[in-house]
Amino acid sequence: MAPAPKESTRGTDLSRELAALLSPERVSVAPADRVSYARDAWPRTLIAIGHGVVAPHPPDVVAWPETAEEVAAIVKLAERRRVPIVPYGAGSGVAGGALPIHAGIVVDMKRMNRMLALDESELSATFEAGMNGEHLEHELNRRGYTLGHFPSSIMCSTFGGWLAARSAGQLSTKYGKIEDMALSLEVVTGRGEIVTTGEAPRGAPGPDLTQVFIGSEGTLGIITKGTVRVWPLAERRILGGWEFPRVAAGCEAIRRVLQRGLRPAVVRLYDELDTLVHKFGGDDEAPDRETMLERELAALALPARRRSTAERGLEALKKGLFRRLLANDLPLKLGLLNRAIDAVVPHVSGGCLLIMGFEGARAMTEAEAAMARTELARAGGKDLGEGPGLRWWEHRYKISWKQPRMFKNGAFVDTMEVATTWDRLLDLYAAVRAACEPHAIVLAHFSHAYQEGCSIYFSFAGAGGDLEDAQRRYDALWSAALDAVTRVGATISHHHGVGVSKSTYMQAEHGEAMGIYRALKQVFDPSGILNPGKMGLP
Amino acid sequence: MTGSSFPAPLVERLREAVGPQHVSTSNLDTGRYPRGRGSSPPPPPGAPPSDVAVVWPGAATEIQKVLRAAAEHGVPVIAVGTGSLGLAHAPLGKGGERGRILLDLKRMTNVLHLDATSLLCHVQAGATLGQLEERLDRDALTVGDMPAESYRSTIGGLLAGRAPGRATSRLGPLESACLGVSAVLADGRLVHDRIAPRKAAGPDLSRLLVGSEGAFGIITAATLRIHRRPEVRHFASWAMGGVDEALGALRAALRQEVRPSIARVYDPELAASTFEPLAPRGKTLVIACCAGAREMAQAERSILEDAFGRAGGVPLGEDAALLFWNRRLEQVRGQRAGDEDAALFPVAAALGRLMPVYQSVKSSLRALGADAAAAFGRFHADGGCVFFELPADPRLEAAAREAAVGAGGRPADEVFADDRARPYLRQLKTILDPTGILNPGRMVD
């Protein structure tokens, strides 16, 4: 185990000044705090932690402001001292966006956690940026409303984090992503000034700065407050499951439903392998990412399909089989393994599972659900009843809490959410799978569907020997995947954001338009102190 | 061109860029663009050519060359579509004394790619919404029911000069349907958005160009979400006891997630003058159209019937709504002059503020011995628009404007209001457009 980070002189000096600005108990240079904020949920850092690197990127100091004015004062201090400043919500980001890679000040926003207003006549609400996602939704629910934003990380993410990274919830097909909900923001710029965006009604003249700050991941300003559109709580919810023989048929059915103008809340189509994983999952337990992958490996390693066999397989995996299987495999063998999956899995899985659900005002929800049922049957879907939908609903927040266990075993799992238009969607699916097969086991589901296209959520599992080997394999996997994504013309991110992990692909994504982003950076953060080294910026 | 005060070497550069037949400094050509409020007066007949050149580029690459040449000479460039924003001859900021290039995009009207699978259309910015709609109609596709006045504007103009009230209840404002743009920046760089649904790869950079009235870049093409032609259209109208009841019932229906493709509320005075003899005397009139998939439109109609029925509305059948629809079609096709809203004073407001704005404007005018009639429309999730028919008197218009703003409304011609962000935008402009050639004086000055 590596030792805890040593206290830095810069940190000690800064903490003194910060204590004067806030109060001493809201500033810390304690090793425990610096270790806590030396990571987010980026799997590459989890690999390092799994190999005993206690604090991959420790900040010099951590501060907990309570008002926008305090945030502004911290930014001014950082600007004067030319010290990096990294806003931090709940640290659930999987792209390294909240990592203090150049140390400096981590500004934890979680003390700014209040609901400030609910305007029931305008259906809007205002929250401080550090408010926990589940608390936010709960506050609205108590009053008869919902934001309609349900990321699987809802219990461990914040409102500000959602805005900063263009987050999507599981019901995004109906309610939109966070950028569709946002009406206005309060932001502290890199000059330490508080700016409000979007006070005019939507559609008013002028550039829309709200949409410029959303997704800027702390590189242009620190979001301190936001006003969003809210909805009355759903009067009715109708969920269902359907089976399609192939991914292509399922995608086509979803497209038809959406292009008839229907507004399902949730749409999730699992590819054959992902469907198989669901079938292995018992009714009492929704599989999280890690369990899914373990089970999938179990299914491959052992020919029988009986649950007892799968359970024995799982035991073996826990003893390290999983790691050995992947780590000792040459890319060629891994490719063969993936091709074997392709050959076998469709026969075992029985097809692809589609979950579709509607919610909202009673009459429209019922009308639309009935139409969707007809449309899906017409597209060749086999109606499985409401069971699969209800099961998904009950376990929708069960994310990979236990992920570190797998990383401790030397393996890694990760996910990549990319999106494109319907005409390229299957090309994207095929290209990414082909590119990744030499490096990892790949499974995918199609979720967050819209009239013009859909996101694909790929899950990867791989492993390496020592830390260097594991990170080399991890990087090779990601390069292969993102090269394929940009080659097809899809976007590199639908809702996880860019952070460090996709930073080098920003140029491919935006081309010459990166010049506009650099100009914005120059204007809103002239000293370059806001979350440096991310998003393709210096 | 002899006698023009427009720099001759620049004229040469422009001719090389777009072809000699696509450049003119003649007053006949430069004078054909509408002059908005505050614009310079037209030159008298027989006057020598002014310091204005019109350039008709045929491609984004030609616009790149035009902007590079303009930057070298420090001459401002104003993109014009149909000119309906009135910017062509509007006063300019610094640099305006060196003349101006009117960049007319009417040669750039092609549909570059029609993706019927994803329901997306990549169209050049010089196409009017009407031209695009004609093209889509061939394939049973549509941009959706947008306000009639939008069809005569170019796509580029609609996006660059987004205005409140151009939204529809079903589709929102046009920029909501825009997945991305291509644009030329002041230094001649051509930028393209990657077209994908709901990207999370950083800020939405195109939102700086959309709404900027050409101050940050010139939009050359856009990718718009389109729709299949509606399977059905249900028209309906109701007579209501008052404006308040009508707005309340409509709001209740919108909360039931109804998205009518058309919904309008006319106060008794405007209902009488617009729909005589279909509108019952002294009653507020509501007209609506539910369009789309058969079963959905039927469900939406039932909810509207229920909502207006509960609020004491008397169903009037479809005649008034059909009359509105037919007039709108004539306007869209150019068979009917003007738009019924064109002469009206539009004020955007949140849904709950529409009634206070209406009452406040009326009482301010009554205090001056006048009155205003009004219609409400363009309802969408965040608000709607009230259109006032005002007496032609600047004093009364000023009073109406003040009253509307005081009650939380925003007149459609008011530009950018976020004062604390303005210095940042000004600095951004100096970085992206160091020679200040792109529509100087707009947005940030």
Side-chain angles (χ1 to χ4, degrees), chain B residues 16 46 103 110 128 158 174 200 202 226 249 266 272 307 357 384 393 418 422:
Chain B
E16 281 167 26
L103 195 69
N110 294 308
T128 64
L158 287 167
L174 186 67
I226 56 175
Y266 291 82
V357 167
D393 177 342
D418 202 341
R422 205 184 289 260

Side-chain angles (χ1 to χ4, degrees), chain B residues 10 63-79 92 94-96 98-101 184-188 213-218 429-430 432-441:
Chain B
L10 180 54
I63 296 177
Q64 291 182 281
K65 290 178 193 164
V66 169
L67 292 197
R68 286 189 184 123
E72 281 173 31
H73 289 264
V75 173
V77 179
I78 296 120
L92 295 176
K94 197 165 155 271
R98 289 193 284 271
R100 68 180 71 192
I101 296 169
V184 181
L185 306 184
D187 61 3
E213 297 192 351
F216 291 121
I218 290 175
K429 168 92 173 161
T430 63
L432 291 176
D433 180 16
T435 49
I437 56 164
L438 289 179
N439 214 353

Side-chain angles (χ1 to χ4, degrees), chain B residues 3-24:
Chain B
S4 169
S5 53
F6 195 83
L10 180 54
V11 172
E12 272 318 302
R13 288 285 301 278
L14 296 175
R15 287 176 171 173
E16 281 167 26
V18 299
Q21 70 275 36
H22 298 131
V23 179
S24 172

Side-chain angles (χ1 to χ4, degrees), chain B residues 362-403:
Chain B
K362 274 180 90 76
S363 57
S364 78
L365 292 185
R366 280 180 185 151
L368 297 169
D371 202 356
F376 302 76
R378 313 217 179 141
F379 300 98
H380 54 105
D382 301 329
C385 206
V386 46
F387 299 91
F388 290 100
E389 188 179 56
L390 301 177
D393 177 342
R395 193 177 57 104
L396 295 176
E397 195 196 313
R401 191 175 288 272
E402 197 185 326

